[in-house]
Amino acid sequence: MAGGPASVEFRAVVKRYGAVTAVDGVSFTIEPGTLATLLGPSGCGKTTTLRLIAGLELATEGQILIGGRDVTRRAAAERDVSMVFQSYALFPHMTVLENAAYGPIVDGTPRKEAHAMARAKLELVGLSGFEARMPSELSGGQQQRVAVARALVLEPQVLLFDEPLSNLDAKLRRRVREDIRELQRRLNLTVVYVTHDQQEALAVSDRVIVMSNARIAQAGSPRDLYERPANRFVADFIGDANVVAAELIEVSGDRAKVVLGGIALELERRGARPGPVTVAIRPEALLLSADRPAAPAAPGRIGKAAYLGTHMEYTVTSALGELFVIDRMPSRAFAAGAEVWISLPGTGVAIVPE
Amino acid sequence: MKLGWIIRGVLLGALAVAVFGPLVNMLLWAVAERWYFPAKLPIEYGFSYWERVFRPRGNAMESLFNSVVIAGGTVALCLAVALPAGYALARLRLPLRSLILLAFLLPQAVPNLAVYINVARIFYSLGLNGTIAGVVLVHTVHGLLFAVWITTAAFAAVDRELEQAARNMGAGPLRTFFTVTLPLAAPGILASAIFVFLESLDEFTGTYFVGVPDVMTLPLLLYNASAGGNYQIASITALILLIPSIGFMLFVERFLRADVLAKMGG
Ligand SMILES: Nc1ncnc2c1ncn2[C@@H]1O[C@H](COP(=O)(O)OP(=O)(O)OP(=O)(O)O)[C@@H](O)[C@H]1O
Ligand SMILES: [Mg+2]
């Protein structure tokens, strides 16, 4: 098969199941050798998008290109794409080695050579010595690595992961996602990775494609999405931002002066016009203090307070509305019902163009 | 406490008599030379009836051979139909699948005898009456319902994502079927094979209408013997009837253990 990573391109792809539109006019390009995540809430069409790339579903409309070649009508077996399924989908009647060697054997590679290829990939994922075991004799994390080895063995142009961490415990999750990222960089793979966990997406991706209701809500680098959300949905979904109403009073070049809850701020304009605008405020961008600070501030009252070890989480009622606040200094805790002052140092606040 | 044990003992004893009583009775009849009414046990033991059964003109060996050939052929034909049909049905959406499976039951509502008489007439005109092929066909119709049901369940139990994983690895539809789907459905398919084999071995009515007098099977032989009041020959025939059943079970059990059970392991 053709070596090297390939790009993946969607051109206005639509997938319908009867009356349900699972993917609705989606277009994107994933550069070769990068890791892109498809992020979004349950049912937004992530898995369907992944299966369209693999050829396990055929597009109703639009075009799909892999490495610049149109594969829209190609069957799954003809696409140089490997998938790690959410359930891992290991063959229960084959050993670990037979599972990993399945691809090359189907390909017509002599058994001995296929087994050698499989052994090499099993070693790569740290599973040497497990060759003779049955999948049922492995832990969840080990099964996941067999699935990765099986997918890697043909050195595919594109590697797909469907929520690969969802069956692992919280600790293992962090390690495995780093392993996947490391592998992607070391082997220079194009990886498309599905998750509904925004932290996971921000941590591993070069590029995040946020989906909502079968469409793309925003695509960009993790920093882009976090700092410059394109709409309410992205602002809320990534980092639980507070979306509040504000007034734009003055424009100068690409900067704009905005007033919210009596506090004036200078923000990037992002195409907004004078008048009412929407602003996203990160929960950790809001500063709480017991006494009125020197900077402009708005009064508020603590609703709920929760201690989470590294930080406190509050809901605060104020002129800006109901706010979700994260305070990184749990030693200075406010009790529910306490009167506080809210100020905005300026970072972590952005105009949402919508 | 004590009473509980007594009740349990009595119940177990009753069960043992219910299960093994007829078998013991059959074994006794098989070696009885003379056994008249008031006697609790045979009056005289011996093997002269065995000699009669296995005499060259005794029909027993020929019937045994016929029975095995017919049962084997029925299994082959049933699987040849049930495998593709079961696979196709298993891949249908659920309400439609249930509907078709239920529709398969409808012919069972018609009295079998009426059907067999008509089948016999049709087979007669086709020259199939009195042939082994004809009997195999009748047995197949009889066993097919269950074969299709069981194989459908076996195929439906195979996770579709495994087939998709195989396709994703570059396997075509046939390759996927033979390397993934079929091995995973094998236990269910073997179960249906056992079922069809034993059903065919036991089948009487259809064989009677289509096979007699040219094709004799063990159940027909048994019927003739007991209708003639010859319980010795009937018992011996019944014992012979056990041979292919046990043989087939052993064969399947070995195959199951070696090939499938080990890899099914949980
Ligand atoms: N085979 C199918 N037939 C009919 N509808 C389908 C099918 N597969 C998916 N859908 C529908 O398409 C939509 C998108 O499904 P998809 O599986 O892509 O969601 P997802 O983003 O992967 O969600 P999750 O995070 O829960 O896995 C859903 O509304 C789903 O019900
Ligand atoms: Mg999904």
Side-chain angles (χ1 to χ4, degrees):
Chain A
M1 295 203 181
S7 60
V8 177
E9 189 180 345
F10 268 44
R11 292 185 186 158
V13 172
V14 175
K15 175 66 190 177
R16 285 192 205 96
Y17 297 105
V20 181
T21 306
V23 170
D24 192 2
V26 164
S27 303
F28 58 76
T29 305
I30 296 166
E31 297 302 325
T34 62
L35 192 157
T37 42
L38 292 167
L39 173 67
S42 187
C44 70
K46 306 180 296 289
T47 298
T48 307
T49 305
L50 209 63
R51 291 167 61 83
L52 284 166
I53 301 175
L56 296 173
E57 307 287 352
L58 289 182
T60 315
E61 285 169 26
Q63 269 184 308
I64 298 171
L65 291 86
I66 294 174
R69 289 213 336 268
D70 189 333
V71 296
T72 316
R73 294 286 133 206
R74 290 269 174 98
E78 298 168 31
R79 299 191 191 185
D80 192 6
V81 170
S82 292
M83 179 147 166
V84 176
F85 290 78
Q86 187 169 358
S87 63
Y88 307 145
L90 297 178
F91 305 126
H93 57 303
M94 297 182 195
T95 63
V96 166
L97 186 67
E98 287 166 339
N99 263 283
Y102 188 81
I105 283 177
V106 163
D107 226 23
T109 311
R111 187 163 292 269
K112 225 172 152 186
E113 207 175 309
H115 281 183
M117 288 163 74
R119 267 179 227 283
K121 291 297 184 267
L122 286 170
E123 196 186 327
L124 189 72
V125 298
L127 276 182
S128 294
F130 289 82
E131 289 88 351
R133 296 231 198 150
M134 303 308 287
S136 58
E137 298 165 340
L138 299 177
S139 74
Q142 290 165 339
Q143 289 180 19
Q144 198 260 0
R145 283 185 277 161
V146 176
V148 172
R150 184 179 67 179
L152 278 177
V153 74
L154 287 175
E155 306 194 338
Q157 290 184 308
V158 180
L159 187 57
L160 310 175
F161 287 91
D162 191 0
E163 310 220 12
L165 312 184
S166 56
N167 295 330
L168 307 179
D169 66 54
K171 253 205 179 126
L172 203 54
R173 241 177 252 178
R174 184 180 296 265
R175 219 190 68 210
V176 173
R177 86 182 183 204
E178 277 158 16
D179 287 350
I180 290 174
R181 177 60 157 167
E182 217 266 321
L183 205 65
Q184 179 265 329
R185 286 215 168 107
R186 185 147 49 102
L187 302 182
N188 188 28
L189 302 165
T190 304
V191 170
V192 187
Y193 186 111
V194 163
T195 179
H196 60 255
D197 180 336
Q198 49 100 5
Q199 234 194 1
E200 195 177 311
L202 295 182
V204 299
S205 328
D206 294 304
R207 202 174 137 79
V208 181
I209 298 167
V210 184
M211 292 185 70
S212 162
N213 285 328
R215 293 166 189 269
I216 293 183
Q218 188 178 0
S221 70
R223 186 176 286 274
D224 261 358
L225 296 180
Y226 194 81
E227 294 181 356
R228 309 174 73 236
N231 49 48
R232 254 167 205 277
F233 175 81
V234 175
D236 180 49
F237 193 72
I238 304 211
D240 292 316
N242 297 289
V243 178
V244 300
E247 186 80 14
L248 197 160
I249 51 174
E250 201 184 309
V251 173
S252 58
D254 62 348
R255 306 296 291 176
K257 198 167 177 187
V258 170
V259 176
L260 58 161
I263 306 172
L265 287 172
E266 205 192 279
L267 301 172
E268 190 190 340
R269 184 183 164 198
R270 306 192 73 195
R273 283 165 209 219
V277 289
T278 308
V279 168
I281 311 170
R282 294 290 157 201
E284 55 282 318
L286 290 154
L287 222 62
L288 301 182
S289 48
D291 306 315
R292 180 163 199 157
R301 181 198 293 273
I302 304 282
K304 286 183 217 137
Y307 173 75
L308 279 100
T310 56
H311 64 272
M312 294 289 300
E313 286 184 6
Y314 299 107
T315 55
V316 183
T317 324
S318 75
L320 294 160
E322 180 98 340
L323 298 174
F324 173 59
V325 179
I326 289 176
D327 189 344
R328 297 279 170 206
M329 293 210 294
S331 55
R332 177 197 67 189
F334 297 99
E339 303 284 344
V340 291
W341 288 92
I342 306 159
S343 52
L344 283 164
T347 57
V349 185
I351 294 176
V352 178
E354 294 188 273
Chain B
M1 176 73 190
K2 224 172 187 176
L3 190 70
W5 280 107
I6 292 171
I7 292 174
R8 236 179 274 188
V10 168
L11 282 179
L12 274 178
L15 187 68
V17 169
V19 172
F20 294 109
L23 269 179
V24 170
N25 190 46
M26 196 175 81
L27 281 173
L28 284 177
W29 268 115
V31 292
E33 286 293 317
R34 292 188 303 132
W35 192 355
Y36 305 123
F37 166 59
K40 296 275 185 310
L41 286 170
I43 298 161
E44 200 186 326
Y45 296 92
F47 285 93
S48 71
Y49 284 97
W50 285 80
E51 195 261 314
R52 258 171 73 181
V53 169
F54 284 102
R55 210 181 294 177
R57 283 184 53 245
N59 270 350
M61 291 329 277
E62 191 201 326
S63 305
L64 175 64
F65 177 77
N66 281 347
S67 281
V68 170
V69 166
I70 289 168
T74 305
V75 167
L77 196 59
C78 268
L79 286 187
V81 178
L83 284 183
Y87 183 72
L89 279 172
R91 291 302 174 240
L92 280 182
R93 268 193 234 123
L94 202 57
L96 192 59
R97 186 204 306 169
S98 313
L99 216 67
I100 294 180
L101 284 177
L102 278 177
F104 274 28
L105 265 182
L106 281 180
Q108 301 298 108
V110 181
N112 273 342
L113 278 178
V115 174
Y116 286 139
I117 289 169
N118 281 303
V119 166
R121 268 187 42 203
I122 295 166
F123 277 16
Y124 195 78
S125 65
L126 293 176
L128 279 170
N129 238 24
T131 65
I132 285 192
V135 177
V136 165
L137 272 178
V138 166
H139 287 193
T140 299
V141 169
H142 184 76
L144 203 53
L145 168 76
F146 299 99
V148 170
W149 272 44
I150 301 172
T151 47
T152 301
F155 282 128
V158 175
D159 187 353
R160 293 197 74 176
E161 221 161 64
L162 296 175
E163 296 177 331
Q164 293 174 351
R167 283 204 284 140
N168 182 242
M169 295 283 104
L174 274 182
R175 186 90 182 216
T176 302
F177 182 79
F178 284 108
T179 57
V180 175
T181 318
L182 194 60
L184 289 175
I189 292 164
L190 279 177
S192 82
I194 295 174
F195 188 86
V196 169
F197 189 91
L198 297 183
E199 275 293 300
S200 163
L201 222 50
D202 237 20
E203 214 282 342
F204 176 80
T205 328
T207 321
Y208 185 82
F209 280 100
V210 173
V212 165
D214 305 298
V215 179
M216 266 310 233
T217 62
L218 286 173
L220 290 177
L221 200 67
L222 208 155
Y223 171 76
N224 281 350
S226 42
N230 196 330
Y231 295 121
Q232 283 91 339
I233 294 207
S235 298
I236 294 166
T237 316
L239 283 177
I240 298 172
L241 198 50
L242 278 176
I243 297 171
S245 309
I246 291 172
F248 189 72
M249 295 283 230
L250 284 178
F251 167 75
V252 163
E253 193 249 11
R254 246 185 106 164
F255 181 59
L256 260 183
R257 200 174 340 152
D259 214 60
V260 188
L261 283 188
K263 295 191 172 177
M264 293 270 294

